Amino acid sequence: MFCRRVVDDRLGCCSYLIASGAEAAVVDPGYDIAPYEQVLLERSLRLRYVIDTHVHADHVSGGRRLASAHGAELCLHEQARLAYPARCLREGQEVSIGMVRLQMLHTPGHRPEMMSVLVTDLERSPEPVAVLTGDSLLVGDAGRPDFSGGDAFAQFESIRRLLNLPEWTAVYPGHFEGPCGAAMN
C-alpha cells in the first residue's frame, strides 16, 4: 500500500492519495488537483475513486474535477444532498483498489453525511491499519457540530465509535494547523 498526504497550507485541509498495485483513490481532494495528477503520473496509477467524506464548507473540493479528468467514480455518503451525480455509499459499504479495501463508516455530527474511511491493507493483515476521519476526529480536537445540519450528540457517538477501533489503527484527520484550528499540528 502507498499513501501520500497532501496538505493545503493556506487552509490546513488535508487529503490522502492511497494506492495499491496500479490503482488509486483520493479522499477529500482540495481544489488544486495538480498534486494528485503529479503522483498519479509519477507512479503510473489509475484513479478509480474520489471520495469526499462530506460536503465541505471550509474549502471547495476538487472531487468533481479530479474524477472527471480521470474517469473515476466520485463517491459521497448516501445522505449527502447533491446537485451533481455521484455514487452514494452507505454504512459498511466497501470499494477496493488493488489489495486495499476502503470501508465506509458513517460518522455524523460535523455534518449529517459525514463518513470516515477505514483502510485495510490485505497484503499486511485482514484487520484495518488506518482510518481517514475527515472532519470528524481531528488532532487534539473534533469537528464542529455547529454548521448547517451538525449534531453534537451524533458527533459524540461518532467519536466514541472511532475511539473503539483497534488501538493499532492509525488516525489520519482532514485538518492540520491553519485557520480551522491553530493547535492542530
Side-chain angles (χ1 to χ4, degrees):
M1 179 178 86
F2 170 81
C3 181
R4 172 76 50 90
R5 182 179 69 197
V6 177
V7 178
D8 181 334
D9 290 323
R10 295 173 301 119
L11 301 173
C13 295
C14 202
S15 58
Y16 301 90
L17 185 149
I18 299 171
S20 175
E23 299 179 326
V26 174
V27 178
D28 287 335
Y31 184 75
D32 179 9
I33 64 172
Y36 317 106
E37 301 260 337
Q38 181 178 346
V39 175
L40 292 168
L41 182 64
E42 287 173 357
R43 298 186 72 87
S44 300
L45 296 170
R46 178 177 156 249
L47 184 63
R48 294 208 40 219
Y49 303 102
V50 176
I51 302 169
D52 270 324
T53 57
H54 63 296
V55 177
H56 301 277
D58 56 355
H59 70 277
V60 177
S61 170
R64 287 188 288 167
R65 293 175 53 232
L66 188 58
S68 177
H70 292 272
E73 281 191 86
L74 176 63
C75 305
L76 283 100
H77 188 267
E78 64 184 350
Q79 288 187 13
R81 297 174 64 194
L82 306 171
Y84 51 87
R87 179 177 176 182
C88 296
L89 300 174
R90 65 187 178 285
E91 167 68 24
Q93 192 166 355
E94 298 175 354
V95 296
S96 295
I97 49 169
M99 293 295 293
V100 170
R101 184 174 59 222
L102 305 173
Q103 181 182 9
M104 305 311 129
L105 300 177
H106 189 209
T107 51
H110 174 64
R111 296 271 308 143
E113 76 278 5
M114 182 76 228
M115 65 180 176
S116 296
V117 181
L118 195 58
V119 180
T120 302
D121 181 356
L122 296 171
E123 288 186 305
R124 290 176 60 188
S125 169
E127 297 293 325
V129 296
V131 62
L132 311 177
T133 60
D135 291 1
S136 189
L137 183 61
L138 306 168
V139 177
D141 209 343
R144 294 174 52 181
D146 59 339
F147 287 125
S148 175
D151 181 314
F153 179 75
Q155 179 71 338
F156 177 81
E157 292 301 320
S158 292
I159 291 169
R160 183 189 335 228
R161 182 176 189 203
L162 290 167
L163 293 175
N164 282 325
L165 290 172
E167 66 182 43
W168 61 80
T169 309
V171 177
Y172 294 93
H175 280 288
F176 281 88
E177 188 173 36
C180 296
M184 290 189 274
N185 195 354

